[in-house]
Amino acid sequence: MGRAGTGTGGAAVAAAVAGPLLLLLLARPPPATAGDCGKSDIRLVSEQFSQAPQKLSFYSWYGSARLFHFRVPPDTVLLHWLLQVSQSGGPMCSNVEITVYFRYGAPPVINPLGTSFPANTSVQPSFFVKMLQSNASINISHPAPGDWFVAAHLPPSSQKIEVKGFVPTCAYIFQPDMLVMRVVEVSILEPNVPLPQTLLSHPSYLKIFVPEYTQELRLELQGCASNGSLGCPVHLTVGSATLPSNFQKVLTCTGPAWVCHLLLPSPPWDRWLQVTAKSLAGPHVSVAFSAVVTLTACRPWIVNFKQLLQSSPNQSCNASTGLLSPSPGYQDLGRNIRVGGGPFCLVNYQVMREDMDVVSVHFRPMDRVSVLVHSGMPSVMRLYLNTGMDSGGSLTISLWANKSMISNNTLVMVCVNAASPFLLFNTSLNCTTAFFQGYSLSLSTSSRKAKLIIPYPETDNWYLSLQLVCPQSPEECEKAKVLIETTLYLVPCLDDCGPYGQCILLRRHGYLYAGCSCKAGWRGWSCTDNSTAQSTAQQRMATLLLTLSNLMFLAPITLSVYRCLLVEASIYAYTMFFSTVLLLLGTLVFAMSLQLDRRGAWNMMGPCLFAFVIMVTMWVYRCGHRRHCYPTSWQRWVFYLLPGISMAALAITIYTSMMTSDNYYYTHSIWHMLLAGSAAFLLPPRDKHVEPWACSQKFTCHYQICKNHREELYTVT
């Protein structure tokens, strides 16, 4: 059973268990209104999209989550996610809770570990569902067309290092399928042109094109009647649903028709706006009305860059000399659109986009001067983040106000919005447009700098709106002007993940996004959370333990040389050296296999079993040859063999069951010392007929350099 959760309300989402009948139900159109006569709507067609399944991982950083990227087609009225989970590994695998996130326009920003984000970072709550090993479904009515992302992961990792082969290998496979129901016949609402509509059993699907520089949209129902009587039982849904936040406008018209209207300030520019009308009347009751839309255009005041470029460097900061009236193309926003004859409503500063690298963009005003902020109208900058490949980084906005130009009673308000700019600074400061809750910043004499970080910004055009306000004395703002310097970047990782992290570029098919992989106990989105971080002394101690603990092998090396066991001495010296520098040359087959999978059970057990078989075979052979078992003395068992076997068993126990990512430096160092100690105890004794350190006497067949004293010639025999 799936459970849905989010920090924000208003999302038209439902979670349900998907049964075998689910696919049959999806082939039918969505539930009709109360007046439905049971006939299917021929205007609706269904489509299905799927991606290859992925194996889920326990969460430790953002790269642990599995990302899926879908594109919802235009005119979609119903989006259905079918979430399928399968398990492999046998009955020993337990049921685990799977978390699935959904977001429109960009990958979801998640924080399963509850770590802190960098300062000045704005993060919206994520919409997610939790499910076990059973299929679940999510329905979204009137979804926004474009990019949708799904991310899934297992619970946070226990950080325990397990040896493969001793624990069951469990795999959890996740696959989301996207099924959409879209309209093939949509009526287009033109500005100031009434569009008659009649509702009976099926809803009416309308759409409006909102051109650039639209300041306000007004939607009104006129002449509404139900079976010839007055009244307007109509339910209107305007806009598209997005996650995690949903700003769809819902209007229920039950009173007289002349009061049924909707005002949308700063609607999204240069796109289609969906409108769905449903009847609230009973069965077999028709509702007739005319829909009228009115668009109020905004007159932009465009900066003349040619004049600014021709001016001298000393005059380049006087931006007021570079303002011209709008061009005819901006004055005429289209047929039947009413352009206000009053003053201009914004100053348009054009911005140049400079692509630096993958998910790395620099935005700057084309005149290379500061942005001049007035009190009468907002100064607007547009950031082009609509390529489809810009949502995998972090948008950083840094602002700085000139101290000499800002007074004590003035305040520079800044709003950052997607799809359309915020223009109503004179009436409100909440940075809310028709379908987007913007990010708010402010500059004053006490705080002349402001910074905003938006991880994974939505794929869209983003707008930076700035205006000078004087809450206490409005008359001071009439002639005041402030120069604001801007630093606008899109970066893969903030500050390149800092000194304790690594910025890693991740890929899902052709889509690229970045994440930070932290080390030394640092955590968080940009590796800035030091709640579990190791101090410098702890890091040095861990390094010294892992390296110097290998010096314990000096004991078995010395004993091997003392007892003339040169092969054993060379093996221990090789192990000590390459374990000290954490480097494997791969000259031995076992070393190569160990490097490929250091925690594989057979990479350890294979050499051990091979050596054990050889030792047992030789032991049986020599016992039979000598007519007695080795060793014969109890001192050898008590003081050498049993302590060595105990140390080896303890080392194996620590290696297989007690090692975690947090205590790795200490447990692995103990493993080094116990392993070297057991080797020293388990070495065979010195041959009684050989003197200590007299290893050369054992080699009877070797080259000798002989000297002929008579001829004084050297020969090799």
Side-chain angles (χ1 to χ4, degrees), residues 183-196:
V183 186
V184 294
E185 296 181 9
V186 182
S187 301
I188 298 178
L189 267 173
E190 295 188 7
N192 299 327
V193 177
L195 181 64

Side-chain angles (χ1 to χ4, degrees), residues 204-538:
S204 292
Y205 300 106
L206 316 173
K207 64 180 180 179
I208 310 164
F209 183 76
V210 182
E212 194 175 6
Y213 299 110
T214 300
Q215 187 174 8
E216 186 182 72
L217 183 148
R218 176 186 173 93
L219 179 62
E220 184 177 356
L221 301 187
Q222 298 178 352
C224 189
S226 176
N227 275 4
S229 60
L230 295 179
C232 197
V234 177
H235 180 273
L236 284 179
T237 303
V238 182
S240 302
T242 59
L243 293 178
S245 300
N246 181 30
F247 291 93
Q248 270 183 320
K249 306 300 180 182
V250 177
L251 180 64
T252 302
C253 303
T254 56
W258 57 83
V259 298
C260 192
H261 67 275
L262 182 65
L263 287 177
L264 297 177
S266 298
W269 289 357
D270 201 21
R271 70 189 59 192
W272 291 96
L273 187 64
Q274 289 183 329
V275 179
T276 303
K278 295 182 180 180
S279 173
L280 298 177
H284 310 289
V285 178
S286 64
V287 178
F289 63 89
S290 293
V292 181
V293 62
T294 304
L295 301 178
T296 303
C298 175
R299 301 183 64 191
W301 198 355
I302 302 174
V303 176
N304 184 8
F305 297 109
K306 182 181 297 184
Q307 185 173 353
L308 284 175
L309 293 175
Q310 293 175 354
S311 62
S312 63
N314 294 331
Q315 297 174 345
S316 62
C317 289
N318 187 7
S320 61
T321 63
L323 299 177
L324 294 179
S325 60
S327 61
Y330 286 139
Q331 291 184 18
D332 186 11
L333 296 182
R335 182 172 61 90
N336 297 327
I337 298 180
R338 179 172 59 85
V339 180
F344 302 102
C345 65
L346 64 88
V347 180
N348 183 16
Y349 283 89
Q350 295 183 357
V351 177
M352 185 181 74
R353 172 189 167 112
E354 182 181 2
D355 290 275
M356 310 293 291
D357 204 338
V358 180
V359 202
S360 181
V361 182
H362 179 207
F363 299 97
R364 57 181 176 85
M366 295 182 66
D367 55 355
R368 297 178 180 270
V369 297
S370 302
V371 177
L372 189 63
V373 181
H374 306 262
S375 61
M377 68 188 82
S379 300
V380 176
M381 304 172 66
R382 177 167 59 180
L383 310 180
Y384 295 92
L385 293 172
N386 57 352
T387 64
M389 299 298 295
D390 303 324
S391 57
S394 295
L395 178 62
T396 61
I397 299 174
S398 299
L399 306 174
W400 178 80
N402 194 327
K403 183 178 181 181
S404 60
M405 300 187 67
I406 187 169
S407 62
N408 294 329
N409 296 326
T410 59
L411 186 68
V412 178
M413 292 300 301
V414 184
C415 290
V416 182
N417 294 75
S420 61
F422 180 76
L423 304 175
L424 304 178
F425 287 97
N426 296 328
T427 59
S428 176
L429 300 178
N430 58 6
C431 296
T432 302
T433 58
F435 300 103
F436 191 85
Q437 174 58 57
Y439 304 93
S440 176
L441 298 172
S442 63
L443 299 170
S444 61
T445 54
S446 60
S447 177
R448 295 186 297 111
K449 294 182 179 180
K451 187 175 183 180
L452 175 65
I453 302 170
I454 304 176
Y456 294 164
E458 297 178 8
T459 298
D460 213 326
N461 288 326
W462 286 74
Y463 295 88
L464 187 66
S465 306
L466 307 93
Q467 186 167 336
L468 192 64
V469 296
C470 299
Q472 299 179 357
S473 54
E475 62 277 1
E476 291 189 17
C477 287
E478 295 180 359
K479 297 182 179 180
K481 298 177 183 178
V482 179
L483 285 174
I484 303 296
E485 294 185 4
T486 63
T487 304
L488 311 172
Y489 278 97
L490 177 71
V491 295
C493 302
L494 183 64
D495 296 332
D496 205 20
C497 299
Y500 297 100
Q502 181 182 5
C503 185
I504 299 180
L505 197 63
L506 307 170
R507 182 178 66 88
R508 173 58 179 168
H509 293 166
Y511 180 77
L512 300 176
Y513 59 106
C516 287
S517 178
C518 309
K519 58 185 178 181
W522 289 76
R523 305 189 303 169
W525 187 262
S526 299
C527 301
T528 56
D529 189 337
N530 61 351
S531 57
T532 60
Q534 298 177 354
S535 63
T536 304
Q538 288 177 321

